[in-house]
Amino acid sequence: MEGSASYKINLNMLEKFNYTSHYKDKTILVTGGAGYIGSSVIRALSSVPCSIIALIKKGDVFSAPLEGSAKISVVEADVRNKEIWKKLLEKVDILFHFAAQTSSKVANENPCIDVEINLLPIINIIEVSQKNNFSPHIIFSGTVTQVGFTNTYPVNETFKDIPITVYDINKLAAEKYLQYYSNQLDNHAVILRLANVYGPGPRSSSSADRGILNVMIHKALRGKSLTIYGDGNFVRDYIYIDDVVEAFLTAAVKIDLLSGNYYIIGSGVGYTIKDAMNIIKEAVTQKTGRRVEILHVSSPKNLSQIEYRNFVADTTKFTTATGWKAKVSLQEGINQTIDYSLREEG
């Protein structure tokens, strides 16, 4: 993956915004370091002379480059283990927290496990930091589904949160604890609620109900049919991985201004699921000559209610505060993801 066009964009972005000076000589902890976004953030920072600790869970494969100006160490540990945080957080300047259980289905069926993975680590991080006088700047990965259903879109930070899944309840609770960490405990934390992320890199999620655009691209490239539940007219906001990485790097740099708040991060452009699948179909056919079929099927009985929603992000608040703006269109992002996959497959 190193050297792909996608990740060169991130490295150039660091230089353009003079972010190198902000991260230079810092100690940065990235949880979920083997995951899709975590490994992409590490890759983008690998050219900076800093220290990066990649926290991964047992059995995960760390794919980000170990060479470069950054000193990268990989720690295998369970985020549910309270004892690890005292050791990990010592001397940490910036914490990017991506480690999570990401399936709403799993969360609804096993709410206690979801609490253990998605909420308790944040509580433990805050407690350990307070007891040991640690004060890492925390940038947390939330989800736009925390808001629940909305009658209108685009959605901004003024919408009332009424989460409808256990997963979203626990992500929202973690967010509230981080606001407490910032607003009451005089530390720094910011939350970025992400729309549907896709693009080059390792599999975007271990959960079958996440990272659907990447899943469909890989299916199309293998000549398999793309399946759409129902008519496919629900609207989604798909955001490219480079734009997401830039948002997180920007948030850390601007955290003095952003701390204590959450921000919605998306492309700001909505596509129906059907239209997105058709873009994949046409792009794969154009690049490979393979015929891709799209099948409309009935929704499974256990499909999460959150899937029956329309969503487009209004990122005005974050853009106004930081100057960040999503740059990669869905067509361009799908083409780059296909090109990357074809290169990786040889």
Side-chain angles (χ1 to χ4, degrees):
M1 288 181 291
E2 182 185 11
S4 74
S6 173
Y7 297 115
K8 287 179 182 177
I9 292 173
N10 285 330
L11 298 179
N12 291 339
M13 176 270 297
L14 282 171
E15 297 171 0
K16 178 180 177 182
F17 292 96
N18 197 28
Y19 287 178
T20 300
S21 61
H22 178 82
Y23 290 102
K24 183 179 179 181
D25 299 327
K26 295 285 200 312
T27 298
I28 303 159
L29 171 60
V30 181
T31 72
Y36 183 40
I37 304 175
S39 63
S40 298
V41 167
I42 292 171
R43 186 173 290 102
L45 289 171
S46 63
S47 65
V48 180
C50 62
S51 296
I52 301 174
I53 304 167
L55 176 62
I56 70 173
K57 70 175 183 290
K58 186 176 181 180
D60 277 354
V61 177
F62 182 73
S63 59
L66 291 173
E67 63 272 11
S69 300
K71 178 183 177 182
I72 302 175
S73 58
V74 181
V75 175
E76 188 178 279
D78 190 333
V79 294
R80 294 173 290 186
N81 180 1
K82 182 178 180 179
E83 302 305 314
I84 67 170
W85 296 112
K86 183 176 180 180
K87 179 180 179 181
L88 286 176
L89 291 173
E90 187 176 7
K91 298 180 181 179
V92 165
D93 300 297
I94 301 168
L95 165 57
F96 291 103
H97 188 71
F98 300 110
Q101 188 294 114
T102 60
S103 170
S104 60
K105 181 176 183 293
V106 169
N108 285 344
E109 294 175 350
N110 303 278
C112 290
I113 291 177
D114 196 71
V115 168
E116 290 176 359
I117 299 174
N118 286 341
L119 178 56
L120 287 182
I122 294 300
I123 297 174
N124 290 333
I125 287 168
I126 292 172
E127 181 182 358
V128 168
S129 295
Q130 283 300 107
K131 287 183 176 179
N132 295 277
N133 294 317
F134 301 154
S135 55
H137 291 182
I138 303 174
I139 303 90
F140 179 75
S141 177
T143 171
V144 296
T145 55
Q146 289 170 223
V147 74
F149 287 114
T150 63
N151 293 324
T152 61
Y153 60 85
V155 175
N156 62 30
E157 293 80 2
T158 67
F159 282 60
K160 184 178 180 180
D161 293 318
I162 309 178
I164 65 169
T165 72
V166 171
Y167 170 76
D168 292 311
I169 290 169
N170 289 327
K171 294 292 277 188
L172 183 60
E175 180 179 296
K176 296 301 182 184
Y177 270 100
L178 289 170
Q179 290 175 327
Y180 165 76
Y181 174 78
S182 176
N183 298 332
Q184 273 67 55
L185 302 182
D186 198 28
N187 289 301
H188 289 76
V190 62
I191 301 92
L192 302 187
R193 295 188 185 181
L194 302 179
N196 299 67
V197 184
Y198 74 100
R203 183 173 176 176
S204 57
S205 175
S206 58
S207 303
D209 53 354
R210 294 281 167 171
I212 192 65
L213 212 61
N214 278 11
V215 171
M216 291 300 178
I217 289 171
H218 293 151
K219 286 183 67 175
L221 287 172
R222 294 195 300 271
K224 295 186 176 182
S225 299
L226 307 184
T227 54
I228 297 175
Y229 295 146
D231 56 21
N233 285 330
F234 290 112
V235 176
R236 297 289 189 268
D237 186 322
Y238 301 100
I239 182 167
Y240 191 65
I241 182 63
D242 285 357
D243 288 327
V244 171
V245 170
E246 183 179 339
F248 275 95
L249 294 176
T250 301
V253 173
K254 303 284 188 178
I255 200 165
D256 286 345
L257 177 65
L258 306 177
S259 188
N261 297 306
Y262 76 86
Y263 297 88
I264 291 174
I265 303 298
S267 71
V269 181
Y271 287 86
T272 65
I273 296 170
K274 177 175 62 180
D275 286 344
M277 295 306 107
N278 276 310
I279 293 173
I280 293 172
K281 171 185 174 179
E282 292 171 6
V284 168
T285 298
Q286 182 180 11
K287 290 177 180 292
T288 68
R290 297 170 186 165
R291 182 176 179 272
V292 179
E293 186 177 9
I294 295 179
L295 302 177
H296 290 261
V297 299
S298 299
S299 301
K301 292 181 180 180
N302 62 349
L303 187 66
S304 174
Q305 279 185 300
I306 199 64
E307 299 302 327
Y308 300 99
R309 76 192 192 284
N310 295 304
F311 181 89
V312 179
D314 177 356
T315 64
T316 301
K317 186 177 179 181
F318 190 70
T319 298
T320 300
T322 67
W324 173 93
K325 188 174 179 63
K327 300 178 180 65
V328 182
S329 70
L330 183 61
Q331 181 75 61
E332 180 186 358
I334 286 174
N335 281 328
Q336 290 191 25
T337 306
I338 292 170
D339 290 342
Y340 168 82
S341 296
L342 291 172
R343 287 197 302 271
E344 288 297 291
E345 294 172 4

